[in-house]
PDB file of all heavy atoms in Angstrom:
ATOM      1  N   ILE Q   1       7.181  -1.786 -18.954  1.00 98.00           N
ATOM      2  CA  ILE Q   1       6.125  -1.331 -19.862  1.00 98.00           C
ATOM      3  C   ILE Q   1       4.944  -0.713 -19.115  1.00 98.00           C
ATOM      4  O   ILE Q   1       4.213   0.106 -19.678  1.00 98.00           O
ATOM      5  CB  ILE Q   1       5.653  -2.454 -20.816  1.00 98.00           C
ATOM      6  CG1 ILE Q   1       4.949  -3.583 -20.064  1.00 98.00           C
ATOM      7  CG2 ILE Q   1       6.818  -2.976 -21.637  1.00 98.00           C
ATOM      8  CD1 ILE Q   1       4.291  -4.617 -20.987  1.00 98.00           C
ATOM      9  N   ARG Q   2       4.739  -1.081 -17.837  1.00 98.00           N
ATOM     10  CA  ARG Q   2       3.637  -0.438 -17.112  1.00 98.00           C
ATOM     11  C   ARG Q   2       4.076   0.847 -16.407  1.00 98.00           C
ATOM     12  O   ARG Q   2       3.238   1.682 -16.062  1.00 98.00           O
ATOM     13  CB  ARG Q   2       2.993  -1.403 -16.113  1.00 98.00           C
ATOM     14  CG  ARG Q   2       3.824  -1.804 -14.932  1.00 98.00           C
ATOM     15  CD  ARG Q   2       2.997  -2.626 -13.938  1.00 98.00           C
ATOM     16  NE  ARG Q   2       3.819  -3.166 -12.867  1.00 98.00           N
ATOM     17  CZ  ARG Q   2       4.471  -4.320 -12.923  1.00 98.00           C
ATOM     18  NH1 ARG Q   2       4.374  -5.078 -13.988  1.00 98.00           N
ATOM     19  NH2 ARG Q   2       5.207  -4.722 -11.906  1.00 98.00           N
ATOM     20  N   ASN Q   3       5.391   1.013 -16.180  1.00 98.00           N
ATOM     21  CA  ASN Q   3       5.871   2.216 -15.507  1.00 98.00           C
ATOM     22  C   ASN Q   3       6.252   3.340 -16.463  1.00 98.00           C
ATOM     23  O   ASN Q   3       6.183   4.514 -16.096  1.00 98.00           O
ATOM     24  CB  ASN Q   3       7.079   1.882 -14.617  1.00 98.00           C
ATOM     25  CG  ASN Q   3       6.673   1.395 -13.238  1.00 98.00           C
ATOM     26  OD1 ASN Q   3       6.271   2.172 -12.382  1.00 98.00           O
ATOM     27  ND2 ASN Q   3       6.781   0.089 -13.017  1.00 98.00           N
ATOM     28  N   ILE Q   4       6.692   2.996 -17.674  1.00 98.00           N
ATOM     29  CA  ILE Q   4       7.145   4.027 -18.608  1.00 98.00           C
ATOM     30  C   ILE Q   4       6.043   5.043 -18.915  1.00 98.00           C
ATOM     31  O   ILE Q   4       6.300   6.258 -18.909  1.00 98.00           O
ATOM     32  CB  ILE Q   4       7.709   3.382 -19.892  1.00 98.00           C
ATOM     33  CG1 ILE Q   4       9.044   2.700 -19.574  1.00 98.00           C
ATOM     34  CG2 ILE Q   4       7.906   4.434 -20.990  1.00 98.00           C
ATOM     35  CD1 ILE Q   4       9.583   1.821 -20.699  1.00 98.00           C
ATOM     36  N   PRO Q   5       4.783   4.637 -19.182  1.00 98.00           N
ATOM     37  CA  PRO Q   5       3.756   5.653 -19.404  1.00 98.00           C
ATOM     38  C   PRO Q   5       3.568   6.590 -18.207  1.00 98.00           C
ATOM     39  O   PRO Q   5       3.304   7.786 -18.379  1.00 98.00           O
ATOM     40  CB  PRO Q   5       2.495   4.820 -19.661  1.00 98.00           C
ATOM     41  CG  PRO Q   5       2.996   3.506 -20.156  1.00 98.00           C
ATOM     42  CD  PRO Q   5       4.259   3.270 -19.394  1.00 98.00           C
ATOM     43  N   VAL Q   6       3.699   6.053 -17.002  1.00 98.00           N
ATOM     44  CA  VAL Q   6       3.576   6.886 -15.806  1.00 98.00           C
ATOM     45  C   VAL Q   6       4.712   7.901 -15.760  1.00 98.00           C
ATOM     46  O   VAL Q   6       4.508   9.086 -15.470  1.00 98.00           O
ATOM     47  CB  VAL Q   6       3.574   6.010 -14.539  1.00 98.00           C
ATOM     48  CG1 VAL Q   6       3.553   6.865 -13.284  1.00 98.00           C
ATOM     49  CG2 VAL Q   6       2.387   5.055 -14.555  1.00 98.00           C
ATOM     50  N   PHE Q   7       5.918   7.459 -16.067  1.00 98.00           N
ATOM     51  CA  PHE Q   7       7.068   8.365 -16.025  1.00 98.00           C
ATOM     52  C   PHE Q   7       7.007   9.395 -17.149  1.00 98.00           C
ATOM     53  O   PHE Q   7       7.479  10.521 -16.979  1.00 98.00           O
ATOM     54  CB  PHE Q   7       8.377   7.561 -16.071  1.00 98.00           C
ATOM     55  CG  PHE Q   7       8.865   7.157 -14.711  1.00 98.00           C
ATOM     56  CD1 PHE Q   7       8.132   6.279 -13.922  1.00 98.00           C
ATOM     57  CD2 PHE Q   7      10.045   7.671 -14.195  1.00 98.00           C
ATOM     58  CE1 PHE Q   7       8.563   5.913 -12.662  1.00 98.00           C
ATOM     59  CE2 PHE Q   7      10.485   7.319 -12.941  1.00 98.00           C
ATOM     60  CZ  PHE Q   7       9.744   6.440 -12.161  1.00 98.00           C
ATOM     61  N   ARG Q   8       6.435   9.023 -18.279  1.00 98.00           N
ATOM     62  CA  ARG Q   8       6.246  10.028 -19.330  1.00 98.00           C
ATOM     63  C   ARG Q   8       5.287  11.116 -18.844  1.00 98.00           C
ATOM     64  O   ARG Q   8       5.531  12.306 -19.073  1.00 98.00           O
ATOM     65  CB  ARG Q   8       5.692   9.367 -20.594  1.00 98.00           C
ATOM     66  CG  ARG Q   8       5.356  10.379 -21.695  1.00 98.00           C
ATOM     67  CD  ARG Q   8       5.096   9.698 -23.026  1.00 98.00           C
ATOM     68  NE  ARG Q   8       4.145   8.595 -22.920  1.00 98.00           N
ATOM     69  CZ  ARG Q   8       3.887   7.741 -23.902  1.00 98.00           C
ATOM     70  NH1 ARG Q   8       4.521   7.850 -25.062  1.00 98.00           N
ATOM     71  NH2 ARG Q   8       3.006   6.778 -23.739  1.00 98.00           N
ATOM     72  N   ALA Q   9       4.231  10.725 -18.141  1.00 98.00           N
ATOM     73  CA  ALA Q   9       3.305  11.712 -17.577  1.00 98.00           C
ATOM     74  C   ALA Q   9       3.991  12.559 -16.506  1.00 98.00           C
ATOM     75  O   ALA Q   9       3.763  13.777 -16.426  1.00 98.00           O
ATOM     76  CB  ALA Q   9       2.078  11.008 -16.995  1.00 98.00           C
ATOM     77  N   PHE Q  10       4.828  11.921 -15.675  1.00 98.00           N
ATOM     78  CA  PHE Q  10       5.602  12.691 -14.703  1.00 98.00           C
ATOM     79  C   PHE Q  10       6.440  13.754 -15.415  1.00 98.00           C
ATOM     80  O   PHE Q  10       6.483  14.919 -14.997  1.00 98.00           O
ATOM     81  CB  PHE Q  10       6.559  11.767 -13.926  1.00 98.00           C
ATOM     82  CG  PHE Q  10       5.913  10.909 -12.880  1.00 98.00           C
ATOM     83  CD1 PHE Q  10       6.653   9.933 -12.239  1.00 98.00           C
ATOM     84  CD2 PHE Q  10       4.582  11.060 -12.522  1.00 98.00           C
ATOM     85  CE1 PHE Q  10       6.094   9.123 -11.253  1.00 98.00           C
ATOM     86  CE2 PHE Q  10       4.005  10.254 -11.544  1.00 98.00           C
ATOM     87  CZ  PHE Q  10       4.762   9.289 -10.911  1.00 98.00           C
ATOM     88  N   ALA Q  11       7.137  13.341 -16.472  1.00 98.00           N
ATOM     89  CA  ALA Q  11       8.025  14.257 -17.190  1.00 98.00           C
ATOM     90  C   ALA Q  11       7.259  15.458 -17.733  1.00 98.00           C
ATOM     91  O   ALA Q  11       7.733  16.601 -17.674  1.00 98.00           O
ATOM     92  CB  ALA Q  11       8.732  13.517 -18.325  1.00 98.00           C
ATOM     93  N   GLU Q  12       6.073  15.211 -18.260  1.00 98.00           N
ATOM     94  CA  GLU Q  12       5.250  16.320 -18.762  1.00 98.00           C
ATOM     95  C   GLU Q  12       4.886  17.282 -17.633  1.00 98.00           C
ATOM     96  O   GLU Q  12       4.905  18.508 -17.815  1.00 98.00           O
ATOM     97  CB  GLU Q  12       3.991  15.766 -19.423  1.00 98.00           C
ATOM     98  CG  GLU Q  12       4.279  14.990 -20.707  1.00 98.00           C
ATOM     99  CD  GLU Q  12       3.074  14.215 -21.214  1.00 98.00           C
ATOM    100  OE1 GLU Q  12       2.026  14.201 -20.506  1.00 98.00           O
ATOM    101  OE2 GLU Q  12       3.163  13.602 -22.298  1.00 98.00           O
ATOM    102  N   ASP Q  13       4.582  16.738 -16.459  1.00 98.00           N
ATOM    103  CA  ASP Q  13       4.256  17.588 -15.308  1.00 98.00           C
ATOM    104  C   ASP Q  13       5.480  18.360 -14.821  1.00 98.00           C
ATOM    105  O   ASP Q  13       5.368  19.519 -14.420  1.00 98.00           O
ATOM    106  CB  ASP Q  13       3.687  16.745 -14.170  1.00 98.00           C
ATOM    107  CG  ASP Q  13       2.277  16.253 -14.451  1.00 98.00           C
ATOM    108  OD1 ASP Q  13       1.643  16.754 -15.396  1.00 98.00           O
ATOM    109  OD2 ASP Q  13       1.811  15.344 -13.735  1.00 98.00           O
ATOM    110  N   PHE Q  14       6.637  17.722 -14.840  1.00 98.00           N
ATOM    111  CA  PHE Q  14       7.850  18.429 -14.417  1.00 98.00           C
ATOM    112  C   PHE Q  14       8.107  19.625 -15.320  1.00 98.00           C
ATOM    113  O   PHE Q  14       8.456  20.717 -14.837  1.00 98.00           O
ATOM    114  CB  PHE Q  14       9.068  17.494 -14.458  1.00 98.00           C
ATOM    115  CG  PHE Q  14       8.982  16.299 -13.547  1.00 98.00           C
ATOM    116  CD1 PHE Q  14       9.697  15.140 -13.832  1.00 98.00           C
ATOM    117  CD2 PHE Q  14       8.196  16.313 -12.405  1.00 98.00           C
ATOM    118  CE1 PHE Q  14       9.634  14.038 -13.008  1.00 98.00           C
ATOM    119  CE2 PHE Q  14       8.114  15.205 -11.565  1.00 98.00           C
ATOM    120  CZ  PHE Q  14       8.838  14.061 -11.879  1.00 98.00           C
ATOM    121  N   GLN Q  15       7.956  19.428 -16.613  1.00 98.00           N
ATOM    122  CA  GLN Q  15       8.176  20.521 -17.554  1.00 98.00           C
ATOM    123  C   GLN Q  15       7.203  21.677 -17.320  1.00 98.00           C
ATOM    124  O   GLN Q  15       7.569  22.841 -17.455  1.00 98.00           O
ATOM    125  CB  GLN Q  15       8.026  20.007 -18.992  1.00 98.00           C
ATOM    126  CG  GLN Q  15       9.188  19.191 -19.481  1.00 98.00           C
ATOM    127  CD  GLN Q  15      10.373  20.050 -19.884  1.00 98.00           C
ATOM    128  OE1 GLN Q  15      10.540  20.386 -21.060  1.00 98.00           O
ATOM    129  NE2 GLN Q  15      11.195  20.419 -18.931  1.00 98.00           N
ATOM    130  N   ARG Q  16       5.998  21.338 -16.927  1.00 98.00           N
ATOM    131  CA  ARG Q  16       4.971  22.371 -16.761  1.00 98.00           C
ATOM    132  C   ARG Q  16       5.035  23.055 -15.399  1.00 98.00           C
ATOM    133  O   ARG Q  16       4.896  24.282 -15.315  1.00 98.00           O
ATOM    134  CB  ARG Q  16       3.587  21.742 -16.953  1.00 98.00           C
ATOM    135  CG  ARG Q  16       2.446  22.751 -16.850  1.00 98.00           C
ATOM    136  CD  ARG Q  16       1.116  22.113 -17.193  1.00 98.00           C
ATOM    137  NE  ARG Q  16       0.028  23.085 -17.113  1.00 98.00           N
ATOM    138  CZ  ARG Q  16      -1.247  22.805 -17.349  1.00 98.00           C
ATOM    139  NH1 ARG Q  16      -1.591  21.566 -17.708  1.00 98.00           N
ATOM    140  NH2 ARG Q  16      -2.179  23.732 -17.244  1.00 98.00           N
ATOM    141  N   TYR Q  17       5.248  22.287 -14.332  1.00 98.00           N
ATOM    142  CA  TYR Q  17       5.077  22.839 -12.984  1.00 98.00           C
ATOM    143  C   TYR Q  17       6.387  23.120 -12.239  1.00 98.00           C
ATOM    144  O   TYR Q  17       6.401  23.944 -11.321  1.00 98.00           O
ATOM    145  CB  TYR Q  17       4.228  21.881 -12.134  1.00 98.00           C
ATOM    146  CG  TYR Q  17       2.843  21.684 -12.671  1.00 98.00           C
ATOM    147  CD1 TYR Q  17       2.471  20.466 -13.246  1.00 98.00           C
ATOM    148  CD2 TYR Q  17       1.897  22.710 -12.633  1.00 98.00           C
ATOM    149  CE1 TYR Q  17       1.195  20.274 -13.751  1.00 98.00           C
ATOM    150  CE2 TYR Q  17       0.618  22.524 -13.142  1.00 98.00           C
ATOM    151  CZ  TYR Q  17       0.274  21.309 -13.701  1.00 98.00           C
ATOM    152  OH  TYR Q  17      -0.997  21.122 -14.215  1.00 98.00           O
ATOM    153  N   CYS Q  18       7.472  22.454 -12.626  1.00 98.00           N
ATOM    154  CA  CYS Q  18       8.757  22.689 -11.925  1.00 98.00           C
ATOM    155  C   CYS Q  18       9.908  22.415 -12.884  1.00 98.00           C
ATOM    156  O   CYS Q  18      10.708  21.495 -12.663  1.00 98.00           O
ATOM    157  CB  CYS Q  18       8.859  21.823 -10.668  1.00 98.00           C
ATOM    158  SG  CYS Q  18       8.588  20.036 -10.934  1.00 98.00           S
ATOM    159  N   PRO Q  19      10.022  23.184 -13.963  1.00 98.00           N
ATOM    160  CA  PRO Q  19      10.980  22.885 -15.032  1.00 98.00           C
ATOM    161  C   PRO Q  19      12.443  22.961 -14.610  1.00 98.00           C
ATOM    162  O   PRO Q  19      13.315  22.452 -15.336  1.00 98.00           O
ATOM    163  CB  PRO Q  19      10.659  23.933 -16.101  1.00 98.00           C
ATOM    164  CG  PRO Q  19       9.985  25.050 -15.364  1.00 98.00           C
ATOM    165  CD  PRO Q  19       9.217  24.390 -14.267  1.00 98.00           C
ATOM    166  N   ASP Q  20      12.726  23.593 -13.474  1.00 97.00           N
ATOM    167  CA  ASP Q  20      14.113  23.696 -13.023  1.00 97.00           C
ATOM    168  C   ASP Q  20      14.433  22.734 -11.884  1.00 97.00           C
ATOM    169  O   ASP Q  20      15.555  22.739 -11.362  1.00 97.00           O
ATOM    170  CB  ASP Q  20      14.413  25.132 -12.563  1.00 97.00           C
ATOM    171  CG  ASP Q  20      14.257  26.140 -13.693  1.00 97.00           C
ATOM    172  OD1 ASP Q  20      14.669  25.823 -14.825  1.00 97.00           O
ATOM    173  OD2 ASP Q  20      13.704  27.230 -13.446  1.00 97.00           O
ATOM    174  N   ALA Q  21      13.478  21.917 -11.483  1.00 98.00           N
ATOM    175  CA  ALA Q  21      13.683  21.024 -10.338  1.00 98.00           C
ATOM    176  C   ALA Q  21      14.650  19.896 -10.686  1.00 98.00           C
ATOM    177  O   ALA Q  21      14.678  19.396 -11.819  1.00 98.00           O
ATOM    178  CB  ALA Q  21      12.353  20.438  -9.876  1.00 98.00           C
ATOM    179  N   PHE Q  22      15.410  19.473  -9.695  1.00 98.00           N
ATOM    180  CA  PHE Q  22      16.298  18.319  -9.823  1.00 98.00           C
ATOM    181  C   PHE Q  22      15.484  17.058  -9.551  1.00 98.00           C
ATOM    182  O   PHE Q  22      14.757  16.986  -8.550  1.00 98.00           O
ATOM    183  CB  PHE Q  22      17.443  18.428  -8.805  1.00 98.00           C
ATOM    184  CG  PHE Q  22      18.480  17.348  -8.932  1.00 98.00           C
ATOM    185  CD1 PHE Q  22      19.580  17.523  -9.755  1.00 98.00           C
ATOM    186  CD2 PHE Q  22      18.364  16.158  -8.222  1.00 98.00           C
ATOM    187  CE1 PHE Q  22      20.546  16.530  -9.877  1.00 98.00           C
ATOM    188  CE2 PHE Q  22      19.319  15.160  -8.328  1.00 98.00           C
ATOM    189  CZ  PHE Q  22      20.423  15.347  -9.161  1.00 98.00           C
ATOM    190  N   ILE Q  23      15.613  16.060 -10.426  1.00 98.00           N
ATOM    191  CA  ILE Q  23      14.829  14.832 -10.306  1.00 98.00           C
ATOM    192  C   ILE Q  23      15.745  13.667  -9.958  1.00 98.00           C
ATOM    193  O   ILE Q  23      16.705  13.383 -10.688  1.00 98.00           O
ATOM    194  CB  ILE Q  23      14.077  14.503 -11.613  1.00 98.00           C
ATOM    195  CG1 ILE Q  23      13.383  15.750 -12.193  1.00 98.00           C
ATOM    196  CG2 ILE Q  23      13.098  13.361 -11.378  1.00 98.00           C
ATOM    197  CD1 ILE Q  23      12.342  16.360 -11.314  1.00 98.00           C
ATOM    198  N   ALA Q  24      15.458  12.988  -8.856  1.00 98.00           N
ATOM    199  CA  ALA Q  24      16.214  11.800  -8.441  1.00 98.00           C
ATOM    200  C   ALA Q  24      15.273  10.603  -8.467  1.00 98.00           C
ATOM    201  O   ALA Q  24      14.279  10.574  -7.737  1.00 98.00           O
ATOM    202  CB  ALA Q  24      16.793  11.995  -7.041  1.00 98.00           C
ATOM    203  N   ASN Q  25      15.602   9.624  -9.304  1.00 98.00           N
ATOM    204  CA  ASN Q  25      14.735   8.455  -9.455  1.00 98.00           C
ATOM    205  C   ASN Q  25      15.327   7.234  -8.775  1.00 98.00           C
ATOM    206  O   ASN Q  25      16.458   6.831  -9.052  1.00 98.00           O
ATOM    207  CB  ASN Q  25      14.508   8.138 -10.932  1.00 98.00           C
ATOM    208  CG  ASN Q  25      13.715   6.849 -11.106  1.00 98.00           C
ATOM    209  OD1 ASN Q  25      12.742   6.612 -10.383  1.00 98.00           O
ATOM    210  ND2 ASN Q  25      14.134   6.002 -12.028  1.00 98.00           N
ATOM    211  N   TYR Q  26      14.518   6.584  -7.906  1.00 97.00           N
ATOM    212  CA  TYR Q  26      14.907   5.329  -7.262  1.00 97.00           C
ATOM    213  C   TYR Q  26      14.067   4.151  -7.750  1.00 97.00           C
ATOM    214  O   TYR Q  26      14.291   3.015  -7.326  1.00 97.00           O
ATOM    215  CB  TYR Q  26      14.734   5.441  -5.741  1.00 97.00           C
ATOM    216  CG  TYR Q  26      15.832   6.206  -5.042  1.00 97.00           C
ATOM    217  CD1 TYR Q  26      15.697   7.557  -4.753  1.00 97.00           C
ATOM    218  CD2 TYR Q  26      17.005   5.576  -4.658  1.00 97.00           C
ATOM    219  CE1 TYR Q  26      16.697   8.263  -4.098  1.00 97.00           C
ATOM    220  CE2 TYR Q  26      18.019   6.263  -4.003  1.00 97.00           C
ATOM    221  CZ  TYR Q  26      17.858   7.606  -3.731  1.00 97.00           C
ATOM    222  OH  TYR Q  26      18.864   8.295  -3.085  1.00 97.00           O
ATOM    223  N   THR Q  27      13.084   4.395  -8.606  1.00 97.00           N
ATOM    224  CA  THR Q  27      12.155   3.340  -9.009  1.00 97.00           C
ATOM    225  C   THR Q  27      12.777   2.423 -10.056  1.00 97.00           C
ATOM    226  O   THR Q  27      13.393   2.890 -11.021  1.00 97.00           O
ATOM    227  CB  THR Q  27      10.862   3.965  -9.569  1.00 97.00           C
ATOM    228  OG1 THR Q  27      10.241   4.745  -8.557  1.00 97.00           O
ATOM    229  CG2 THR Q  27       9.895   2.891 -10.038  1.00 97.00           C
ATOM    230  N   ASN Q  28      12.591   1.120  -9.892  1.00 97.00           N
ATOM    231  CA  ASN Q  28      13.056   0.134 -10.869  1.00 97.00           C
ATOM    232  C   ASN Q  28      11.956  -0.223 -11.857  1.00 97.00           C
ATOM    233  O   ASN Q  28      10.775  -0.178 -11.506  1.00 97.00           O
ATOM    234  CB  ASN Q  28      13.518  -1.141 -10.147  1.00 97.00           C
ATOM    235  CG  ASN Q  28      14.842  -0.950  -9.451  1.00 97.00           C
ATOM    236  OD1 ASN Q  28      15.727  -0.295  -9.986  1.00 97.00           O
ATOM    237  ND2 ASN Q  28      14.981  -1.509  -8.257  1.00 97.00           N
ATOM    238  N   PRO Q  29      12.335  -0.596 -13.102  1.00 98.00           N
ATOM    239  CA  PRO Q  29      13.698  -0.691 -13.606  1.00 98.00           C
ATOM    240  C   PRO Q  29      14.299   0.708 -13.787  1.00 98.00           C
ATOM    241  O   PRO Q  29      13.871   1.461 -14.676  1.00 98.00           O
ATOM    242  CB  PRO Q  29      13.560  -1.413 -14.939  1.00 98.00           C
ATOM    243  CG  PRO Q  29      12.146  -1.125 -15.372  1.00 98.00           C
ATOM    244  CD  PRO Q  29      11.342  -1.002 -14.107  1.00 98.00           C
ATOM    245  N   MET Q  30      15.268   1.007 -12.937  1.00 97.00           N
ATOM    246  CA  MET Q  30      15.730   2.375 -12.784  1.00 97.00           C
ATOM    247  C   MET Q  30      16.302   2.966 -14.069  1.00 97.00           C
ATOM    248  O   MET Q  30      16.040   4.115 -14.406  1.00 97.00           O
ATOM    249  CB  MET Q  30      16.746   2.442 -11.641  1.00 97.00           C
ATOM    250  CG  MET Q  30      17.142   3.847 -11.266  1.00 97.00           C
ATOM    251  SD  MET Q  30      18.595   4.337 -12.151  1.00 97.00           S
ATOM    252  CE  MET Q  30      19.792   3.333 -11.315  1.00 97.00           C
ATOM    253  N   ALA Q  31      17.095   2.197 -14.803  1.00 98.00           N
ATOM    254  CA  ALA Q  31      17.705   2.731 -16.010  1.00 98.00           C
ATOM    255  C   ALA Q  31      16.651   3.063 -17.068  1.00 98.00           C
ATOM    256  O   ALA Q  31      16.670   4.143 -17.670  1.00 98.00           O
ATOM    257  CB  ALA Q  31      18.724   1.743 -16.562  1.00 98.00           C
ATOM    258  N   ALA Q  32      15.711   2.151 -17.308  1.00 98.00           N
ATOM    259  CA  ALA Q  32      14.676   2.395 -18.317  1.00 98.00           C
ATOM    260  C   ALA Q  32      13.817   3.595 -17.951  1.00 98.00           C
ATOM    261  O   ALA Q  32      13.454   4.419 -18.809  1.00 98.00           O
ATOM    262  CB  ALA Q  32      13.805   1.157 -18.488  1.00 98.00           C
ATOM    263  N   LEU Q  33      13.492   3.740 -16.678  1.00 98.00           N
ATOM    264  CA  LEU Q  33      12.616   4.833 -16.259  1.00 98.00           C
ATOM    265  C   LEU Q  33      13.367   6.158 -16.208  1.00 98.00           C
ATOM    266  O   LEU Q  33      12.799   7.217 -16.510  1.00 98.00           O
ATOM    267  CB  LEU Q  33      11.987   4.504 -14.907  1.00 98.00           C
ATOM    268  CG  LEU Q  33      11.159   3.216 -14.912  1.00 98.00           C
ATOM    269  CD1 LEU Q  33      10.553   2.946 -13.545  1.00 98.00           C
ATOM    270  CD2 LEU Q  33      10.067   3.276 -15.980  1.00 98.00           C
ATOM    271  N   THR Q  34      14.637   6.115 -15.853  1.00 98.00           N
ATOM    272  CA  THR Q  34      15.447   7.330 -15.902  1.00 98.00           C
ATOM    273  C   THR Q  34      15.634   7.774 -17.351  1.00 98.00           C
ATOM    274  O   THR Q  34      15.580   8.978 -17.657  1.00 98.00           O
ATOM    275  CB  THR Q  34      16.809   7.093 -15.224  1.00 98.00           C
ATOM    276  OG1 THR Q  34      16.591   6.724 -13.856  1.00 98.00           O
ATOM    277  CG2 THR Q  34      17.667   8.342 -15.258  1.00 98.00           C
ATOM    278  N   ALA Q  35      15.835   6.823 -18.258  1.00 98.00           N
ATOM    279  CA  ALA Q  35      15.935   7.158 -19.678  1.00 98.00           C
ATOM    280  C   ALA Q  35      14.644   7.822 -20.163  1.00 98.00           C
ATOM    281  O   ALA Q  35      14.681   8.777 -20.953  1.00 98.00           O
ATOM    282  CB  ALA Q  35      16.220   5.907 -20.497  1.00 98.00           C
ATOM    283  N   THR Q  36      13.503   7.336 -19.686  1.00 98.00           N
ATOM    284  CA  THR Q  36      12.219   7.943 -20.062  1.00 98.00           C
ATOM    285  C   THR Q  36      12.167   9.402 -19.640  1.00 98.00           C
ATOM    286  O   THR Q  36      11.789  10.281 -20.429  1.00 98.00           O
ATOM    287  CB  THR Q  36      11.062   7.161 -19.412  1.00 98.00           C
ATOM    288  OG1 THR Q  36      11.121   5.790 -19.841  1.00 98.00           O
ATOM    289  CG2 THR Q  36       9.716   7.759 -19.787  1.00 98.00           C
ATOM    290  N   LEU Q  37      12.548   9.676 -18.404  1.00 98.00           N
ATOM    291  CA  LEU Q  37      12.569  11.062 -17.925  1.00 98.00           C
ATOM    292  C   LEU Q  37      13.493  11.922 -18.775  1.00 98.00           C
ATOM    293  O   LEU Q  37      13.138  13.036 -19.183  1.00 98.00           O
ATOM    294  CB  LEU Q  37      13.031  11.113 -16.467  1.00 98.00           C
ATOM    295  CG  LEU Q  37      12.124  10.498 -15.410  1.00 98.00           C
ATOM    296  CD1 LEU Q  37      12.812  10.544 -14.045  1.00 98.00           C
ATOM    297  CD2 LEU Q  37      10.780  11.226 -15.344  1.00 98.00           C
ATOM    298  N   GLN Q  38      14.687  11.416 -19.041  1.00 98.00           N
ATOM    299  CA  GLN Q  38      15.683  12.224 -19.735  1.00 98.00           C
ATOM    300  C   GLN Q  38      15.337  12.446 -21.200  1.00 98.00           C
ATOM    301  O   GLN Q  38      15.794  13.416 -21.801  1.00 98.00           O
ATOM    302  CB  GLN Q  38      17.064  11.580 -19.564  1.00 98.00           C
ATOM    303  CG  GLN Q  38      17.538  11.663 -18.108  1.00 98.00           C
ATOM    304  CD  GLN Q  38      18.793  10.884 -17.825  1.00 98.00           C
ATOM    305  OE1 GLN Q  38      19.354  10.218 -18.694  1.00 98.00           O
ATOM    306  NE2 GLN Q  38      19.245  10.936 -16.582  1.00 98.00           N
ATOM    307  N   GLN Q  39      14.507  11.567 -21.767  1.00 98.00           N
ATOM    308  CA  GLN Q  39      14.037  11.790 -23.138  1.00 98.00           C
ATOM    309  C   GLN Q  39      12.817  12.700 -23.196  1.00 98.00           C
ATOM    310  O   GLN Q  39      12.560  13.317 -24.226  1.00 98.00           O
ATOM    311  CB  GLN Q  39      13.698  10.446 -23.789  1.00 98.00           C
ATOM    312  CG  GLN Q  39      14.902   9.578 -24.091  1.00 98.00           C
ATOM    313  CD  GLN Q  39      14.535   8.318 -24.844  1.00 98.00           C
ATOM    314  OE1 GLN Q  39      13.785   8.354 -25.816  1.00 98.00           O
ATOM    315  NE2 GLN Q  39      15.054   7.192 -24.395  1.00 98.00           N
ATOM    316  N   CYS Q  40      12.051  12.770 -22.103  1.00 98.00           N
ATOM    317  CA  CYS Q  40      10.753  13.439 -22.157  1.00 98.00           C
ATOM    318  C   CYS Q  40      10.695  14.773 -21.420  1.00 98.00           C
ATOM    319  O   CYS Q  40       9.662  15.448 -21.473  1.00 98.00           O
ATOM    320  CB  CYS Q  40       9.669  12.508 -21.599  1.00 98.00           C
ATOM    321  SG  CYS Q  40       9.433  11.003 -22.573  1.00 98.00           S
TER     322      CYS Q  40
END
């Protein structure tokens, strides 16, 4: 719950500044945070 808002902000920045970049996530809880990226 404390990392998901950060990853949502990351996702917004990826869309704006590097929309074609490949994103590799190692941060735990990895599945929940990867799901956040892929939804946002």
Side-chain angles (χ1 to χ4, degrees):
I1 66 172
R2 68 173 173 273
N3 274 284
I4 289 170
V6 176
F7 271 65
R8 175 168 50 189
F10 285 172
E12 293 169 355
D13 288 347
F14 299 155
Q15 285 282 265
R16 182 174 181 181
Y17 298 109
C18 53
D20 298 320
F22 185 90
I23 314 298
N25 175 43
Y26 282 95
T27 299
N28 286 321
M30 188 267 288
L33 301 180
T34 300
T36 301
L37 293 175
Q38 292 172 358
Q39 290 185 47
C40 296

